[in-house]
Amino acid sequence: MSGRRDDSAKMAKLKELLHRSENRICADCSAPDPKWASANIGVFICLKCSGVHRSLGTHISKVLSVTLDQWSDNEIDNVIEVGGNSHANAIYEAFLPQNHSKPHPDSTQEEREKFIRSKYELQEFLEPSLRIVSHQSSDSGKHAGSASHSVSSKSEVGMIEFIGILNVKVKGGTNLAIRDMSSSDPYVVLTLGQQKAQTSVIKANLNPVWNEELKLSVPQQYGPLKLQVFDHDMLSKDDLMGEAEIDLQPMINAAAAFGDQGLLGDRQIGRWLKSGDNALVRDSAVVVAGGEVRQELALKLQFTESGEVELEMQWFPLNM
C-alpha cells in the first residue's frame, strides 16, 4: 500500500508542477495547456511539438503524456528536479540570439522542427562549455540541469512533416504459434516507416496479455502499420511468429472528415471492413469516445500456423 501512496504522491507533484503558470504554455512554441512532457529534458510541451521531440529519439527526448502514460519514479523525479520550463529554457536558450524568434502555436511543422532540433539536438543555444555531442544514442539522457544527455547526428527522419501521433495499446494474443519445445516467449514489434516500437517479452505463454501502449509519429506520407510477433531466443535469432498489416486510412480519414472530435459526442465515424485482402478477424469500427478517436482491432496473424492479436489505437492529429 505504501508503494501505491508514494506513486500517487509523485504523480500529484508532477501535475502540480504542470499547473504552475510557467508550465501552462509549451516550452518551445508557447501553445497553451500542454499535456505532454520530455521526461529526460524536463519540459512540458504541446502535441505538435511532442511529435518533433519524438522524432529526435528517446536518447535526446523521451516523450510521455502527463495524463495517459505510466511514469517511472526516476522520470518523475527528474522533471521535478529540473523545475519546469523556465529552468530548462534558462539553460537550453541561454544563448538564443535576440533576433532569433521562437516558433509560435501556428508555426509550420518545418519551422517547429528546425527550432527544436537546433535547441536540443544541436544545442546551438546552450552555453558552449555545456555542449556535449555524441553519436552513441542508446541510453536515455539526464535532465537539462546537468546538460549531459547524448546528442546524435541528424536523425534519418530528417525534415519529414508529421500529421499526428498514433497511440497503440497492444492488448494481448491468443493461440500463438509454438517456436520453442512446447511454448514461445512472444513480443510484438510495430513498424511505421523508419520508426519501430516494441512490447516487453512474456515468457512461455501462447496467450499473452501485454496491455502496453506504444507511440509512433505519423508522417504526411504514410503507409500501413506493420505488426510482427517474435519469439525471443537467448542463443539464436528471434523467430517470427506471424505478422499483419494495419491500414491507418480509415481512422485518419474519418477523423479529418469529422473535424474537431471534442464537439462530436460519442459516436461511430468510420469502419474498416474485413475482407480477404486484410488480416481483420471482424469489421473494425472507428469511434469518438470521450473526445478521442479510437479503433479496436482483432488481427489474424499471417504467414504462420495460428495466432491472433488484439489492439486498440488512438489518433491525435497535430492540426487540432
Side-chain angles (χ1 to χ4, degrees):
M1 291 293 293
S2 61
R4 289 184 180 179
R5 285 198 297 270
D6 290 345
D7 291 345
S8 178
K10 286 189 175 183
M11 282 305 296
K13 286 184 179 180
L14 181 68
K15 290 182 179 179
E16 179 184 342
L17 186 64
L18 174 63
H19 289 134
R20 290 184 189 174
S21 59
E22 66 188 84
N23 299 324
R24 299 197 69 161
I25 60 172
C26 173
D28 297 325
C29 77
S30 299
D33 199 25
K35 288 292 190 295
W36 301 80
S38 172
N40 44 356
I41 295 174
V43 291
F44 295 97
I45 51 180
C46 69
L47 182 63
K48 291 182 179 180
C49 288
S50 74
V52 180
H53 275 255
R54 202 178 302 281
S55 74
L56 301 179
T58 56
H59 58 290
I60 296 177
S61 184
K62 183 175 182 180
V63 178
L64 294 172
S65 166
V66 178
T67 56
L68 298 175
D69 286 324
Q70 294 291 325
W71 288 60
S72 70
D73 288 347
N74 287 340
E75 290 163 347
I76 296 174
D77 290 342
N78 185 68
V79 173
I80 292 173
E81 185 178 352
V82 172
N85 292 352
S86 293
H87 290 80
N89 282 346
I91 294 170
Y92 280 97
E93 297 180 6
F95 284 77
L96 183 69
Q98 289 186 351
N99 60 350
H100 195 298
S101 58
K102 292 179 62 171
H104 52 79
D106 296 324
S107 290
T108 66
Q109 196 71 3
E110 184 174 352
E111 292 170 336
R112 200 180 300 272
E113 181 165 1
K114 182 178 180 181
F115 176 80
I116 290 172
R117 287 189 180 280
S118 297
K119 180 176 176 180
Y120 301 110
E121 183 178 47
L122 303 178
Q123 300 178 347
E124 291 179 356
F125 315 132
L126 198 69
E127 182 179 341
S129 64
L130 295 178
R131 293 175 189 167
I132 297 177
V133 178
S134 169
H135 296 292
Q136 296 179 3
S137 60
S138 58
D139 297 326
S140 294
K142 301 295 183 181
H143 59 77
S146 67
S148 63
H149 71 272
S150 299
V151 178
S152 72
S153 58
K154 189 161 185 178
S155 163
E156 289 182 355
V157 175
M159 296 298 286
I160 293 174
E161 184 172 352
F162 295 103
I163 60 171
I165 293 173
L166 183 69
N167 185 79
V168 183
K169 183 176 183 179
V170 182
K171 293 183 173 181
T174 55
N175 195 30
L176 298 184
I178 296 173
R179 289 294 180 266
D180 296 329
M181 292 295 292
S182 60
S183 189
S184 295
D185 303 330
Y187 65 94
V188 173
V189 176
L190 299 178
T191 304
L192 184 63
Q194 296 174 0
Q195 301 172 79
K196 287 184 181 290
Q198 74 176 60
T199 67
S200 59
V201 175
I202 296 185
K203 296 289 187 181
N205 197 326
L206 300 180
N207 298 285
V209 176
W210 285 285
N211 283 327
E212 295 181 21
E213 294 188 357
L214 307 175
K215 290 183 174 63
L216 298 158
S217 298
V218 179
Q220 194 168 48
Q221 301 296 324
Y222 62 89
L225 174 66
K226 186 173 184 178
L227 178 146
Q228 295 172 297
V229 182
F230 289 94
D231 169 48
H232 178 64
D233 286 318
M234 296 293 292
L235 302 177
S236 62
K237 183 179 178 181
D238 292 353
D239 298 315
L240 183 65
M241 299 172 62
E243 61 184 54
E245 288 193 344
I246 301 164
D247 186 357
L248 300 179
Q249 287 189 351
M251 181 174 62
I252 294 175
N253 289 349
F258 279 85
D260 188 350
Q261 293 83 44
L263 303 177
L264 289 179
D266 293 357
R267 60 180 293 181
Q268 180 177 323
I269 60 172
R271 183 177 291 273
W272 184 25
L273 299 176
K274 175 187 175 182
S275 76
D277 296 326
N278 61 46
L280 285 177
V281 174
R282 53 185 173 272
D283 291 354
S284 174
V286 180
V287 303
V288 174
E292 296 176 344
V293 178
R294 297 174 179 266
Q295 183 178 7
E296 292 193 359
L297 306 101
L299 302 169
K300 182 176 176 59
L301 296 176
Q302 310 293 298
F303 312 114
T304 186
E305 55 270 35
S306 64
E308 296 180 5
V309 173
E310 290 197 1
L311 310 171
E312 182 182 27
M313 302 193 303
Q314 286 177 273
W315 173 241
F316 299 95
L318 293 179
N319 59 356
M320 290 175 59

PDB file of all heavy atoms in Angstrom, residues 197-220:
ATOM      1  N   ALA A 197       8.689   0.290 -32.569  1.00  0.00           N
ATOM      2  CA  ALA A 197       8.393   0.252 -31.135  1.00  0.00           C
ATOM      3  C   ALA A 197       8.025  -1.182 -30.788  1.00  0.00           C
ATOM      4  O   ALA A 197       7.449  -1.897 -31.615  1.00  0.00           O
ATOM      5  CB  ALA A 197       7.242   1.197 -30.794  1.00  0.00           C
ATOM      6  N   GLN A 198       8.380  -1.613 -29.587  1.00  0.00           N
ATOM      7  CA  GLN A 198       8.085  -2.998 -29.244  1.00  0.00           C
ATOM      8  C   GLN A 198       7.654  -3.147 -27.791  1.00  0.00           C
ATOM      9  O   GLN A 198       7.960  -2.326 -26.928  1.00  0.00           O
ATOM     10  CB  GLN A 198       9.278  -3.903 -29.515  1.00  0.00           C
ATOM     11  CG  GLN A 198      10.435  -3.792 -28.539  1.00  0.00           C
ATOM     12  CD  GLN A 198      11.521  -4.806 -28.839  1.00  0.00           C
ATOM     13  OE1 GLN A 198      12.096  -4.804 -29.927  1.00  0.00           O
ATOM     14  NE2 GLN A 198      11.807  -5.675 -27.882  1.00  0.00           N
ATOM     15  N   THR A 199       6.923  -4.224 -27.551  1.00  0.00           N
ATOM     16  CA  THR A 199       6.466  -4.548 -26.206  1.00  0.00           C
ATOM     17  C   THR A 199       7.554  -5.309 -25.457  1.00  0.00           C
ATOM     18  O   THR A 199       8.606  -5.641 -26.009  1.00  0.00           O
ATOM     19  CB  THR A 199       5.210  -5.433 -26.256  1.00  0.00           C
ATOM     20  OG1 THR A 199       5.565  -6.709 -26.812  1.00  0.00           O
ATOM     21  CG2 THR A 199       4.115  -4.804 -27.097  1.00  0.00           C
ATOM     22  N   SER A 200       7.276  -5.619 -24.212  1.00  0.00           N
ATOM     23  CA  SER A 200       8.152  -6.482 -23.436  1.00  0.00           C
ATOM     24  C   SER A 200       7.959  -7.938 -23.868  1.00  0.00           C
ATOM     25  O   SER A 200       6.983  -8.282 -24.546  1.00  0.00           O
ATOM     26  CB  SER A 200       7.838  -6.346 -21.947  1.00  0.00           C
ATOM     27  OG  SER A 200       6.483  -6.694 -21.699  1.00  0.00           O
ATOM     28  N   VAL A 201       8.888  -8.787 -23.477  1.00  0.00           N
ATOM     29  CA  VAL A 201       8.807 -10.220 -23.747  1.00  0.00           C
ATOM     30  C   VAL A 201       8.039 -10.892 -22.615  1.00  0.00           C
ATOM     31  O   VAL A 201       8.272 -10.607 -21.433  1.00  0.00           O
ATOM     32  CB  VAL A 201      10.226 -10.831 -23.848  1.00  0.00           C
ATOM     33  CG1 VAL A 201      10.140 -12.352 -24.014  1.00  0.00           C
ATOM     34  CG2 VAL A 201      11.003 -10.201 -24.985  1.00  0.00           C
ATOM     35  N   ILE A 202       7.105 -11.764 -22.979  1.00  0.00           N
ATOM     36  CA  ILE A 202       6.379 -12.549 -21.971  1.00  0.00           C
ATOM     37  C   ILE A 202       6.825 -14.000 -22.099  1.00  0.00           C
ATOM     38  O   ILE A 202       6.725 -14.610 -23.161  1.00  0.00           O
ATOM     39  CB  ILE A 202       4.853 -12.425 -22.153  1.00  0.00           C
ATOM     40  CG1 ILE A 202       4.436 -10.971 -21.907  1.00  0.00           C
ATOM     41  CG2 ILE A 202       4.128 -13.360 -21.198  1.00  0.00           C
ATOM     42  CD1 ILE A 202       2.948 -10.735 -21.948  1.00  0.00           C
ATOM     43  N   LYS A 203       7.330 -14.520 -21.020  1.00  0.00           N
ATOM     44  CA  LYS A 203       7.926 -15.852 -21.036  1.00  0.00           C
ATOM     45  C   LYS A 203       6.877 -16.962 -21.110  1.00  0.00           C
ATOM     46  O   LYS A 203       5.862 -16.923 -20.412  1.00  0.00           O
ATOM     47  CB  LYS A 203       8.775 -16.062 -19.769  1.00  0.00           C
ATOM     48  CG  LYS A 203       9.982 -15.131 -19.656  1.00  0.00           C
ATOM     49  CD  LYS A 203      11.042 -15.500 -20.667  1.00  0.00           C
ATOM     50  CE  LYS A 203      12.319 -14.706 -20.462  1.00  0.00           C
ATOM     51  NZ  LYS A 203      13.355 -15.044 -21.449  1.00  0.00           N
ATOM     52  N   ALA A 204       7.156 -17.953 -21.957  1.00  0.00           N
ATOM     53  CA  ALA A 204       6.412 -19.214 -22.023  1.00  0.00           C
ATOM     54  C   ALA A 204       4.902 -19.018 -21.959  1.00  0.00           C
ATOM     55  O   ALA A 204       4.225 -19.512 -21.053  1.00  0.00           O
ATOM     56  CB  ALA A 204       6.868 -20.138 -20.893  1.00  0.00           C
ATOM     57  N   ASN A 205       4.358 -18.300 -22.964  1.00  0.00           N
ATOM     58  CA  ASN A 205       2.923 -18.018 -22.939  1.00  0.00           C
ATOM     59  C   ASN A 205       2.421 -17.873 -24.379  1.00  0.00           C
ATOM     60  O   ASN A 205       2.886 -17.011 -25.120  1.00  0.00           O
ATOM     61  CB  ASN A 205       2.659 -16.730 -22.153  1.00  0.00           C
ATOM     62  CG  ASN A 205       1.214 -16.600 -21.729  1.00  0.00           C
ATOM     63  OD1 ASN A 205       0.307 -17.021 -22.440  1.00  0.00           O
ATOM     64  ND2 ASN A 205       0.991 -16.021 -20.560  1.00  0.00           N
ATOM     65  N   LEU A 206       1.468 -18.717 -24.741  1.00  0.00           N
ATOM     66  CA  LEU A 206       0.872 -18.654 -26.078  1.00  0.00           C
ATOM     67  C   LEU A 206      -0.391 -17.790 -26.102  1.00  0.00           C
ATOM     68  O   LEU A 206      -0.977 -17.576 -27.164  1.00  0.00           O
ATOM     69  CB  LEU A 206       0.550 -20.062 -26.584  1.00  0.00           C
ATOM     70  CG  LEU A 206       1.748 -21.015 -26.714  1.00  0.00           C
ATOM     71  CD1 LEU A 206       1.293 -22.381 -27.222  1.00  0.00           C
ATOM     72  CD2 LEU A 206       2.813 -20.431 -27.631  1.00  0.00           C
ATOM     73  N   ASN A 207      -0.799 -17.317 -24.927  1.00  0.00           N
ATOM     74  CA  ASN A 207      -1.959 -16.417 -24.809  1.00  0.00           C
ATOM     75  C   ASN A 207      -1.567 -15.208 -23.955  1.00  0.00           C
ATOM     76  O   ASN A 207      -2.161 -14.947 -22.897  1.00  0.00           O
ATOM     77  CB  ASN A 207      -3.151 -17.146 -24.195  1.00  0.00           C
ATOM     78  CG  ASN A 207      -3.617 -18.312 -25.044  1.00  0.00           C
ATOM     79  OD1 ASN A 207      -4.251 -18.133 -26.079  1.00  0.00           O
ATOM     80  ND2 ASN A 207      -3.270 -19.532 -24.623  1.00  0.00           N
ATOM     81  N   PRO A 208      -0.561 -14.463 -24.385  1.00  0.00           N
ATOM     82  CA  PRO A 208      -0.011 -13.389 -23.543  1.00  0.00           C
ATOM     83  C   PRO A 208      -0.949 -12.194 -23.424  1.00  0.00           C
ATOM     84  O   PRO A 208      -1.742 -11.895 -24.316  1.00  0.00           O
ATOM     85  CB  PRO A 208       1.261 -12.997 -24.295  1.00  0.00           C
ATOM     86  CG  PRO A 208       0.942 -13.306 -25.730  1.00  0.00           C
ATOM     87  CD  PRO A 208       0.099 -14.560 -25.688  1.00  0.00           C
ATOM     88  N   VAL A 209      -0.841 -11.514 -22.300  1.00  0.00           N
ATOM     89  CA  VAL A 209      -1.542 -10.250 -22.078  1.00  0.00           C
ATOM     90  C   VAL A 209      -0.484  -9.179 -21.837  1.00  0.00           C
ATOM     91  O   VAL A 209       0.275  -9.257 -20.870  1.00  0.00           O
ATOM     92  CB  VAL A 209      -2.498 -10.331 -20.869  1.00  0.00           C
ATOM     93  CG1 VAL A 209      -3.131  -8.966 -20.610  1.00  0.00           C
ATOM     94  CG2 VAL A 209      -3.570 -11.386 -21.111  1.00  0.00           C
ATOM     95  N   TRP A 210      -0.401  -8.214 -22.734  1.00  0.00           N
ATOM     96  CA  TRP A 210       0.572  -7.130 -22.588  1.00  0.00           C
ATOM     97  C   TRP A 210      -0.062  -5.884 -21.975  1.00  0.00           C
ATOM     98  O   TRP A 210       0.469  -5.338 -21.020  1.00  0.00           O
ATOM     99  CB  TRP A 210       1.177  -6.770 -23.947  1.00  0.00           C
ATOM    100  CG  TRP A 210       2.181  -7.735 -24.465  1.00  0.00           C
ATOM    101  CD1 TRP A 210       3.468  -7.892 -24.043  1.00  0.00           C
ATOM    102  CD2 TRP A 210       1.983  -8.699 -25.522  1.00  0.00           C
ATOM    103  NE1 TRP A 210       4.091  -8.884 -24.761  1.00  0.00           N
ATOM    104  CE2 TRP A 210       3.196  -9.399 -25.679  1.00  0.00           C
ATOM    105  CE3 TRP A 210       0.915  -9.034 -26.345  1.00  0.00           C
ATOM    106  CZ2 TRP A 210       3.370 -10.399 -26.627  1.00  0.00           C
ATOM    107  CZ3 TRP A 210       1.078 -10.024 -27.291  1.00  0.00           C
ATOM    108  CH2 TRP A 210       2.296 -10.708 -27.413  1.00  0.00           C
ATOM    109  N   ASN A 211      -1.126  -5.409 -22.575  1.00  0.00           N
ATOM    110  CA  ASN A 211      -1.731  -4.136 -22.171  1.00  0.00           C
ATOM    111  C   ASN A 211      -0.680  -3.024 -22.094  1.00  0.00           C
ATOM    112  O   ASN A 211      -0.615  -2.262 -21.124  1.00  0.00           O
ATOM    113  CB  ASN A 211      -2.467  -4.273 -20.837  1.00  0.00           C
ATOM    114  CG  ASN A 211      -3.802  -4.968 -20.993  1.00  0.00           C
ATOM    115  OD1 ASN A 211      -4.467  -4.832 -22.023  1.00  0.00           O
ATOM    116  ND2 ASN A 211      -4.199  -5.737 -19.987  1.00  0.00           N
ATOM    117  N   GLU A 212       0.152  -2.956 -23.126  1.00  0.00           N
ATOM    118  CA  GLU A 212       1.217  -1.954 -23.190  1.00  0.00           C
ATOM    119  C   GLU A 212       0.925  -0.962 -24.307  1.00  0.00           C
ATOM    120  O   GLU A 212       0.450  -1.343 -25.380  1.00  0.00           O
ATOM    121  CB  GLU A 212       2.575  -2.617 -23.432  1.00  0.00           C
ATOM    122  CG  GLU A 212       3.025  -3.508 -22.291  1.00  0.00           C
ATOM    123  CD  GLU A 212       4.394  -4.128 -22.546  1.00  0.00           C
ATOM    124  OE1 GLU A 212       5.158  -3.578 -23.378  1.00  0.00           O
ATOM    125  OE2 GLU A 212       4.700  -5.162 -21.929  1.00  0.00           O
ATOM    126  N   GLU A 213       1.218   0.315 -24.049  1.00  0.00           N
ATOM    127  CA  GLU A 213       0.963   1.366 -25.027  1.00  0.00           C
ATOM    128  C   GLU A 213       2.258   1.772 -25.714  1.00  0.00           C
ATOM    129  O   GLU A 213       3.268   2.052 -25.068  1.00  0.00           O
ATOM    130  CB  GLU A 213       0.314   2.574 -24.351  1.00  0.00           C
ATOM    131  CG  GLU A 213      -1.077   2.260 -23.821  1.00  0.00           C
ATOM    132  CD  GLU A 213      -1.808   3.485 -23.317  1.00  0.00           C
ATOM    133  OE1 GLU A 213      -1.200   4.585 -23.335  1.00  0.00           O
ATOM    134  OE2 GLU A 213      -2.973   3.366 -22.924  1.00  0.00           O
ATOM    135  N   LEU A 214       2.215   1.797 -27.041  1.00  0.00           N
ATOM    136  CA  LEU A 214       3.342   2.199 -27.872  1.00  0.00           C
ATOM    137  C   LEU A 214       2.933   3.408 -28.708  1.00  0.00           C
ATOM    138  O   LEU A 214       1.792   3.488 -29.151  1.00  0.00           O
ATOM    139  CB  LEU A 214       3.777   1.050 -28.789  1.00  0.00           C
ATOM    140  CG  LEU A 214       4.067  -0.299 -28.113  1.00  0.00           C
ATOM    141  CD1 LEU A 214       4.368  -1.366 -29.162  1.00  0.00           C
ATOM    142  CD2 LEU A 214       5.223  -0.177 -27.133  1.00  0.00           C
ATOM    143  N   LYS A 215       3.848   4.339 -28.916  1.00  0.00           N
ATOM    144  CA  LYS A 215       3.521   5.565 -29.650  1.00  0.00           C
ATOM    145  C   LYS A 215       4.423   5.714 -30.860  1.00  0.00           C
ATOM    146  O   LYS A 215       5.614   5.462 -30.798  1.00  0.00           O
ATOM    147  CB  LYS A 215       3.652   6.788 -28.735  1.00  0.00           C
ATOM    148  CG  LYS A 215       2.577   6.860 -27.664  1.00  0.00           C
ATOM    149  CD  LYS A 215       2.727   8.129 -26.843  1.00  0.00           C
ATOM    150  CE  LYS A 215       1.552   8.257 -25.868  1.00  0.00           C
ATOM    151  NZ  LYS A 215       1.529   7.150 -24.911  1.00  0.00           N
ATOM    152  N   LEU A 216       3.819   6.180 -31.961  1.00  0.00           N
ATOM    153  CA  LEU A 216       4.539   6.418 -33.207  1.00  0.00           C
ATOM    154  C   LEU A 216       4.054   7.736 -33.812  1.00  0.00           C
ATOM    155  O   LEU A 216       2.866   8.064 -33.734  1.00  0.00           O
ATOM    156  CB  LEU A 216       4.289   5.277 -34.199  1.00  0.00           C
ATOM    157  CG  LEU A 216       4.762   3.881 -33.779  1.00  0.00           C
ATOM    158  CD1 LEU A 216       4.006   2.821 -34.552  1.00  0.00           C
ATOM    159  CD2 LEU A 216       6.259   3.736 -34.015  1.00  0.00           C
ATOM    160  N   SER A 217       4.980   8.492 -34.401  1.00  0.00           N
ATOM    161  CA  SER A 217       4.602   9.703 -35.126  1.00  0.00           C
ATOM    162  C   SER A 217       4.246   9.319 -36.559  1.00  0.00           C
ATOM    163  O   SER A 217       4.969   8.552 -37.197  1.00  0.00           O
ATOM    164  CB  SER A 217       5.762  10.700 -35.123  1.00  0.00           C
ATOM    165  OG  SER A 217       6.080  11.098 -33.798  1.00  0.00           O
ATOM    166  N   VAL A 218       3.145   9.864 -37.055  1.00  0.00           N
ATOM    167  CA  VAL A 218       2.668   9.510 -38.398  1.00  0.00           C
ATOM    168  C   VAL A 218       3.035  10.624 -39.376  1.00  0.00           C
ATOM    169  O   VAL A 218       2.606  11.763 -39.210  1.00  0.00           O
ATOM    170  CB  VAL A 218       1.142   9.287 -38.400  1.00  0.00           C
ATOM    171  CG1 VAL A 218       0.654   8.940 -39.804  1.00  0.00           C
ATOM    172  CG2 VAL A 218       0.771   8.177 -37.424  1.00  0.00           C
ATOM    173  N   PRO A 219       3.851  10.309 -40.397  1.00  0.00           N
ATOM    174  CA  PRO A 219       4.240  11.331 -41.372  1.00  0.00           C
ATOM    175  C   PRO A 219       3.115  11.631 -42.349  1.00  0.00           C
ATOM    176  O   PRO A 219       2.133  10.888 -42.442  1.00  0.00           O
ATOM    177  CB  PRO A 219       5.433  10.693 -42.095  1.00  0.00           C
ATOM    178  CG  PRO A 219       5.156   9.222 -42.001  1.00  0.00           C
ATOM    179  CD  PRO A 219       4.482   9.008 -40.676  1.00  0.00           C
ATOM    180  N   GLN A 220       3.270  12.726 -43.073  1.00  0.00           N
ATOM    181  CA  GLN A 220       2.245  13.122 -44.045  1.00  0.00           C
ATOM    182  C   GLN A 220       2.055  12.045 -45.112  1.00  0.00           C
ATOM    183  O   GLN A 220       0.935  11.755 -45.527  1.00  0.00           O
ATOM    184  CB  GLN A 220       2.638  14.453 -44.680  1.00  0.00           C
ATOM    185  CG  GLN A 220       1.519  15.133 -45.439  1.00  0.00           C
ATOM    186  CD  GLN A 220       1.887  16.557 -45.789  1.00  0.00           C
ATOM    187  OE1 GLN A 220       2.976  16.816 -46.294  1.00  0.00           O
ATOM    188  NE2 GLN A 220       0.980  17.487 -45.528  1.00  0.00           N
TER     189      GLN A 220
END
